[in-house]
Amino acid sequence: MKVLVIGSGAREHALCRSLSLDPDVTALHCAPGNAGIAETARLHPVDALDGAAVAALATELGAELVIVGPEAPLVAGVADAVRAAGIPCFGPSGEAAQLEGSKAFAKDVMAGAGVPTARSYVCTTPEEVDEALDAFGAPYVVKDDGLAAGKGVVVTDDLEKARAHANACDRVVIEEFLDGPEVSLFAITDGETVVPLQPAQDFKRALDGDEGPNTGGMGAYSPLPWADPKLVEEVMETVLQPTVDELRRRGTPFSGLLYAGLAITSRGVRVIEFNARFGDPETQVVLARLKTPLAGVLLAAAEGTLADLPPLRWSDDAAVTVVVASYNYPDTPRTGDPITGLDEVAALDAPHAYVLHAGTKHDGDEVISAGGRVLSVTATGTDLTEARARAYTAVSRIRLDGSQHRTDIAAKAATDAATEATTEA
């Protein structure tokens, strides 16, 4: 199978890594890709937002499956252009991708499907903003209605900060604060059948202890030893399947990856947000645990035959990913700094620890930083403690001037799981 992946982040590198290990994949291409993806796929300098160009490239390559990774091309209708060219594509239509592209649209879909979520107001004027903030009180949750690369949400006790963020957006969703731990659950769907993946937890804040500004994600882990064993089944019944059914009922069937960001509140599971694609950095840990070859599953979703597949197979191992970010991220990051030590990571403990590139590019023989989140270091182990140790050992080998990373990814979950195991013993 000839596969073309669209995108250039760590999510796309994780996808390409999994696909490169799939015996059914005979040729792997990526557009535009990055310095790390170039090691496993042939790169093509195509604008990921240009549907006609992507479709033309897929046709030229004889691609038998196209996977659109990022949200912006999906919302722009790139998957529609590929399908119009007669090529199977994994990714929702531009219309269905509004589930991520518009928070207001997502809230409307959830209301129609009876999906549990936070109470909210859609605001377009300063007066509406003030009324909504007053109605809910602190902590204030203010979400830019459109795409914002994971950084359009402000959660704060500071009324002026909440008001400033809201008034800087054309349209915002202001909602009640949801208490409890957050969980990310992906599902692959062909518009009817829904196949859940394993849950993960990510870390949005820039600094240890969940301090600092919101980011696109600084790390993640899977599995979640503290989660209810029936969590996936519950989310399937109350969130994922009803949402897919509602979109089909509206005439906008959703085919691709449905990502549910969830809060496990004192009143039960509530949806924080939907994404229309694999999430970064959760993809890195979820795919690290998937034993079923990936290409056939994504092709079945693209062709509407998911119901014919056997159940997915998963490793019992734990996975942890730690993001290494540029100096000054998530504000304007410094780029162009050389990255060294990648060969040392490769020699450490492959395949149990490896680097996935995000904001990188080649400058001659050097790999240099080219974005905010530069690398993801992903590691697996028999438990979270071992996976964390491998991940942070690998991180310590990487040298990038001014770089930053969190030191507490999966720390509490690993400690709690170890304590519980000791108690049971």
Side-chain angles (χ1 to χ4, degrees):
M1 186 191 311
K2 297 178 181 178
V3 181
L4 170 62
V5 177
I6 304 302
S8 60
R11 163 187 51 233
E12 286 75 40
H13 194 176
L15 286 165
C16 285
R17 182 180 185 277
S18 292
L19 291 165
S20 71
L21 300 174
D22 188 332
D24 289 334
V25 176
T26 56
L28 184 57
H29 302 265
C30 186
N34 62 39
I37 296 174
E39 298 175 6
T40 57
R42 181 183 167 195
L43 303 189
H44 302 270
V46 170
D47 181 356
L49 293 172
D50 187 336
V54 170
L57 174 63
T59 301
E60 177 189 338
L61 296 173
E64 296 161 278
L65 174 64
V66 175
I67 302 164
V68 182
E71 60 273 27
L74 289 168
V75 172
V78 169
D80 302 89
V82 172
R83 278 190 280 267
I87 302 170
C89 185
F90 183 80
S93 67
E95 194 173 0
Q98 287 300 313
L99 197 65
E100 177 172 4
S102 169
K103 303 293 190 296
F105 176 79
K107 287 290 186 181
D108 188 57
V109 170
M110 283 188 270
V115 169
T117 187
R119 292 179 297 119
S120 63
Y121 294 98
V122 179
C123 306
T124 57
T125 69
E127 292 75 20
E128 290 175 344
V129 166
D130 287 343
E131 289 178 12
L133 293 173
D134 183 61
F136 288 130
Y140 305 102
V141 181
V142 183
K143 299 181 176 182
D144 189 336
D145 181 53
L147 295 178
K151 291 174 281 187
V153 179
V154 165
V155 181
T156 179
D157 290 320
D158 186 327
L159 176 60
E160 290 308 313
K161 184 178 292 185
R163 182 181 287 128
H165 180 66
N167 291 331
C169 304
D170 292 332
R171 191 183 194 206
V172 294
V173 173
I174 295 175
E175 61 185 39
E176 66 175 327
F177 176 77
L178 296 175
D179 64 310
E182 295 185 10
V183 173
S184 299
L185 183 61
F186 301 165
I188 294 171
T189 179
D190 57 12
E192 292 192 16
T193 300
V194 181
V195 177
L197 305 186
Q198 290 291 302
Q201 186 174 61
D202 77 332
F203 295 75
K204 290 294 187 188
R205 299 287 183 171
L207 307 176
D208 285 3
D210 291 327
E211 299 290 335
N214 214 38
T215 73
M218 295 299 290
Y221 70 94
S222 179
L224 312 181
W226 50 267
D228 188 321
K230 295 183 178 179
L231 174 64
V232 173
E233 180 182 344
E234 178 186 352
V235 175
M236 271 289 293
E237 292 178 357
T238 63
V239 175
L240 298 171
Q241 191 70 57
T243 299
V244 169
D245 292 344
E246 173 66 11
L247 285 165
R248 188 175 66 253
R249 185 190 68 78
R250 292 176 176 224
T252 56
F254 188 105
S255 171
L257 195 289
L258 178 59
Y259 167 134
L262 310 164
I264 314 301
T265 77
S266 56
R267 295 173 292 146
V269 174
R270 297 289 185 272
V271 174
I272 300 170
E273 65 175 354
F274 282 126
N275 289 338
R277 39 72 193 183
F278 281 102
D280 180 359
E282 299 97 324
T283 299
Q284 289 88 300
V285 292
V286 172
L287 292 187
R289 300 185 58 228
L290 179 64
K291 295 176 69 175
T292 300
L294 183 62
V297 179
L298 303 190
L299 181 63
E303 295 185 331
T305 59
L306 267 181
D308 299 335
L309 294 186
L312 299 180
R313 295 180 293 111
W314 295 94
S315 168
D316 291 332
D317 283 354
V320 172
T321 193
V322 179
V323 171
V324 177
S326 293
Y327 174 78
N328 205 41
Y329 178 77
D331 293 327
T332 304
R334 190 175 76 199
T335 60
D337 290 315
I339 304 164
T340 60
L342 299 178
D343 54 342
E344 295 177 34
V345 176
L348 268 178
D349 196 15
H352 299 298
Y354 48 90
V355 175
L356 297 169
H357 291 235
T360 69
K361 67 179 182 180
H362 278 114
D363 181 16
D365 293 333
E366 284 189 324
V367 176
I368 64 172
S369 61
R373 290 186 296 169
V374 180
L375 304 165
S376 288
V377 176
T378 300
T380 58
T382 55
D383 55 23
L384 287 174
T385 297
E386 184 175 51
R388 286 191 79 249
R390 286 172 169 167
Y392 280 107
T393 297
V395 168
S396 71
R397 299 296 198 276
I398 296 171
R399 291 174 290 280
L400 171 61
D401 187 43
S403 67
Q404 55 180 309
H405 65 272
R406 284 185 56 159
T407 65
D408 62 346
I409 304 300
K412 184 178 186 303
T415 299
D416 290 350
T419 300
E420 183 176 341
T422 302
T423 302
E424 290 177 353

